[in-house]
Amino acid sequence: MSDVTWIDPGNADQLRAWDIAEGVFWAEEAELFEHALHRYDDALLRAAGIRDGDQVLDLGCGTGSTTRAAAWLAGTGTALGVDLSSPMLAIAERTAAAIGLPNAHFAHVDAQIHPFADDEFDVVLSRTGSMFFADPAAAFSNLARATKPGGRLVLLTWQPPPRNEWFSSFTTTLAAGRQLPVPPPDAPGPFSQSDPDEVSRILIDAGLAAPTFEAHAEPMYFGPDVRTAERFVLGVLGWLLADLDDDARHQTLGALRNDLAKHQTTDGIAYDSAAWLITSHLPR
Ligand SMILES: C[S@@+](CC[C@H](N)C(=O)[O-])C[C@H]1O[C@@H](n2cnc3c(N)ncnc32)[C@H](O)[C@@H]1O
């Protein structure tokens, strides 16, 4: 990857994660990941207000579930899903082709620096794909430039970890009593856009209108049963077990399975989650 020039060098770690390690796992488990957040989709798409003929950008589209929904709503318009992960984009492309959505397109680009055309999009949306930029100020300036005057920006991002049972439960269980290092709140990662003041500052500095933050709380789905959920959780956070000895690892896995079993519902394994639905627009 040393010869890759289409990403901002600050995003190289994210490229490594999403294009190789995590991205391969996410692609293999595409259905699970897409379904995990499906309860937020109605609110996200309603806020996006996509109309026939719109040009839509889905930022960090992953395997493309929101791009497909956007393409369907855009009708004679188009939806472009962009992402750093080639394995996830391959699934996105295949799925859109299989269901016959010729107006869904995908591109392997770094949204922070990609030279989108000026005023290209009526709607820029993202389902948890906007929190991984090394330089969010540069990224949102680039996205604002690509948004038409009056165009909308709609982001689904996580609220802070204490309001997200899925994250606090799994990290506490897998920490197995160890004190894990806490990344700085503004480091790229799932919680980097959990502070409304900080996000507002970045969007306003990028030329977007002062955003609104709507709090949403929904169960997050981890699969139909403990076995599937364990595979899902360990695929994402299993690295936390790397330096445990065999006994500690055995006990920790047991604790994880117990916790998952306690979260079995009639709809599968579900944990509480809390997100911000952030909406803004480019002033005319
Ligand atoms: C948590 S996943 C969300 C995927 C998808 N939106 C969904 O809801 O299933 C975050 C995605 O953002 C993508 N991403 C991270 N940084 C990016 C960047 N600079 N440009 C484009 N995509 C990026 C990752 O590759 C990953 O697929």
Side-chain angles (χ1 to χ4, degrees):
M1 261 180 324
S2 53
D3 58 347
V4 170
T5 53
W6 54 270
I7 59 156
D8 180 271
N11 290 329
D13 285 348
Q14 295 296 328
L15 178 65
R16 256 187 296 278
W18 293 109
D19 204 34
I20 306 173
E22 285 167 58
V24 171
F25 177 70
W26 277 63
E28 283 166 5
E29 300 288 351
E31 254 179 71
L32 262 181
F33 277 110
E34 289 191 352
H35 200 61
L37 300 186
H38 77 281
R39 285 176 177 270
Y40 288 107
D41 288 350
D42 279 355
L44 176 71
L45 291 168
R46 224 185 356 259
I50 297 166
R51 290 175 292 227
D52 183 46
D54 276 352
Q55 306 299 315
V56 183
L57 175 68
D58 184 4
L59 178 60
C61 66
T63 51
S65 66
T66 43
T67 321
R68 295 194 294 278
W72 189 80
L73 291 166
T76 57
T78 64
L80 172 65
V82 297
D83 204 280
L84 288 182
S85 175
S86 38
M88 290 162 82
L89 287 169
I91 304 258
E93 272 168 354
R94 227 173 22 242
T95 311
I99 62 173
L101 271 179
N103 64 336
H105 306 289
F106 297 94
H108 191 206
V109 308
D110 178 353
Q112 180 178 313
I113 59 163
H114 183 69
F116 300 109
D118 287 353
D119 304 345
E120 185 172 351
F121 300 109
D122 300 282
V123 178
V124 176
L125 66 82
S126 183
R127 191 181 79 163
T128 68
S130 63
M131 305 95 116
F132 302 92
F133 298 120
D135 186 345
F140 283 100
S141 294
N142 191 36
L143 293 163
R145 182 189 57 71
T147 304
K148 291 180 186 169
R152 297 178 295 291
L153 175 79
V154 182
L155 309 173
L156 187 81
T157 71
W158 293 119
Q159 292 189 38
R163 293 182 218 160
N164 277 288
E165 183 198 25
W166 59 277
F167 184 81
S168 36
S169 290
F170 297 147
T171 48
T172 304
T173 304
L174 298 180
R178 294 164 298 169
Q179 193 69 41
L180 298 174
V182 181
D186 57 348
F191 298 101
S192 71
Q193 290 178 343
S194 57
D195 175 4
D197 289 343
E198 178 61 10
V199 177
S200 298
R201 189 185 61 71
I202 291 168
L203 298 188
I204 292 167
D205 285 355
L208 291 147
T212 59
F213 292 77
E214 221 176 79
H216 285 255
E218 294 289 353
M220 187 170 169
Y221 174 79
F222 285 87
D225 49 39
V226 169
R227 215 177 134 93
T228 312
E230 182 186 357
R231 191 177 76 233
F232 191 169
V233 173
L234 293 180
V236 179
L237 294 171
W239 57 273
L240 289 171
L241 302 178
D243 56 355
L244 293 181
D245 63 30
D246 285 352
D247 273 358
R249 178 188 297 248
H250 183 73
Q251 275 185 21
T252 306
L253 288 175
L256 174 63
R257 283 179 209 125
N258 283 340
D259 195 53
L260 292 170
K262 283 191 205 142
H263 288 79
Q264 178 82 57
T265 71
T266 47
D267 282 335
I269 309 287
Y271 282 72
D272 291 344
S273 76
W276 292 123
L277 185 59
I278 305 172
T279 51
S280 176
H281 64 274
L282 193 73
R284 286 179 195 279

